[in-house]
Amino acid sequence: MTTLRNRAAGWHRPLMILVSAMAVLTVVAAAGVVADPRLLTGAPIWLKPLKFAISFVLYGVTLAWMLSLLPRRSRAAERAATVIVAMSVVEMVVIVGQVLRGTTSHFNGTTTLNAALFDVMGVAITVLFAAQFVLAVVLARRSLPDRAGGYAVRLGLAVSLLGMLVAFPMVAQSPAGAPAGISGAHSVGVPDGGPGLPLLGWSTTGGDLRVGHFVGMHALQALPLLALLLDRFLGARLDELTRARLVLVGGAAYAGLTLLLTGQALRGQPLPAPDALTLGAAGVLVAATATATALVLARRDRRTGVVLVG
């Protein structure tokens, strides 16, 4: 733990400042959820800042850790990370500012000011996407000490970019019953603010594009965690190349899951109520992943003469 703290002290400073600020905002927003009785689109008005603050804590820590893996400093990567910090701050300033004004931040074109603020958010997330793309390119071009970990980092960045992209259809949504001046929605087929899953708020009556967005974005953490678990529990039984190939399989499966959930949402289908087409596609994804995993392990077995049992 001490070693980890010492390493973290040298991580990208703007990202760590962002993480600290978002940690403070998490506490403030959590207090707001409890103390402020106001509701916005059917949820506590401080719930959106709370969820975004927690997300930015995870996002900032993960990117700072990834930068620390580079064998030598990269000015391009560090500048891209600084741009990400700046755009994240812009996003949060608008989100919190709109909560203080008692109105929504996303899809809000009800007044000239609200529309301008939403446009600012749109520009900020586009710039953030471009900066993360630069970061992904730098990390893809640099060799990292562990092959499986390197694949996990690169795939995590790539799939999280996919997770950002699948959120863009939100702007095109216009569910029946949406208030005048609202240009876009999280939900498909039903208005935002209806019945949803606890805490997450994902619609239980229609499609919800936040599901694929959420899953895709958290590839940043999920795929490195997969590499870590493979090393921790199977490092003595699986060679580095085999573990790297398993991470590739996991990354492809994770991207497939992101697209599957987004497709389900675009068809106006709630996450808890998949139809036969969604279940069939999920079955194909599971079967393909299992087959690819078995092939990777079988290839390893033939090469080493070791059979994995138990």
Side-chain angles (χ1 to χ4, degrees), residues 223 226 230 234 237-239 241-254 284-303 306 308:
L223 295 179
L226 172 62
L230 286 172
L234 294 174
R237 303 175 69 185
L238 298 178
D239 60 276
L241 180 58
T242 299
R243 286 186 282 111
R245 287 171 174 164
L246 289 175
V247 169
L248 286 174
V249 172
Y254 202 96
V284 170
L285 179 60
V286 170
T289 302
T291 301
T293 300
L295 289 173
V296 169
L297 294 176
R299 183 174 181 180
R300 179 259 182 185
D301 292 346
R302 287 196 298 270
R303 186 178 61 253
V306 175
L308 297 179

Side-chain angles (χ1 to χ4, degrees), residues 9-284:
W11 288 358
H12 188 264
R13 182 168 297 179
L15 279 171
M16 298 311 292
I17 291 173
L18 173 69
V19 168
S20 299
M22 292 300 103
V24 172
L25 180 57
T26 297
V27 175
V28 172
V33 169
V34 174
D36 192 333
R38 292 179 296 167
L39 298 178
L40 198 60
T41 61
I45 196 168
W46 282 96
L47 185 59
K48 183 182 286 289
L50 175 61
K51 292 193 291 187
F52 270 75
I54 294 172
S55 294
F56 275 122
V57 168
L58 294 173
Y59 184 61
V61 167
T62 304
L63 292 185
W65 168 73
M66 288 179 172
L67 280 174
S68 75
L69 299 177
L70 289 170
R72 60 184 183 277
R73 291 184 60 183
S74 166
R75 289 185 178 180
E78 291 180 357
R79 288 171 180 170
T82 301
V83 171
I84 288 173
V85 170
M87 295 304 101
S88 301
V89 170
V90 170
E91 286 277 310
M92 291 308 299
V93 166
V94 174
I95 289 172
V96 174
Q98 291 293 74
V99 165
L100 294 174
R101 295 180 65 232
T103 189
T104 57
S105 51
H106 289 72
F107 319 122
N108 192 346
T110 54
T111 68
T112 301
L113 175 59
N114 290 335
L117 289 173
F118 183 49
D119 287 342
V120 167
M121 294 180 73
V123 171
I125 197 62
T126 302
V127 174
L128 186 150
F129 178 91
Q132 183 174 318
F133 181 81
V134 170
L135 193 59
V137 170
V138 171
L139 282 161
R141 292 168 60 89
R142 299 288 183 90
S143 60
L144 300 179
D146 176 65
R147 184 181 296 186
Y151 283 1
V153 166
R154 293 164 189 140
L155 285 169
L157 284 165
V159 179
S160 69
L161 287 171
L162 175 65
M164 291 186 194
L165 285 175
V166 300
F168 278 90
M170 294 180 189
V171 182
Q173 298 303 315
S174 299
I182 300 300
S183 55
H186 300 121
S187 303
V188 179
V190 295
D192 280 349
L197 295 176
L199 185 60
L200 295 169
W202 298 339
S203 178
T204 54
T205 57
D208 200 313
L209 290 163
R210 289 174 294 185
V211 182
H213 177 56
F214 176 90
V215 170
M217 285 296 299
H218 285 289
L220 278 173
Q221 293 83 32
L223 295 179
L225 179 60
L226 172 62
L228 178 65
L229 292 175
L230 286 172
D231 179 65
R232 174 66 178 82
F233 294 105
L234 294 174
R237 303 175 69 185
L238 298 178
D239 60 276
E240 183 181 29
L241 180 58
T242 299
R243 286 186 282 111
R245 287 171 174 164
L246 289 175
V247 169
L248 286 174
V249 172
Y254 202 96
L257 177 62
T258 301
L259 293 174
L260 173 64
L261 293 171
T262 303
Q264 180 186 11
L266 286 171
R267 291 189 295 115
Q269 185 181 130
L271 176 66
D275 62 9
L277 178 60
T278 298
L279 291 174
V284 170

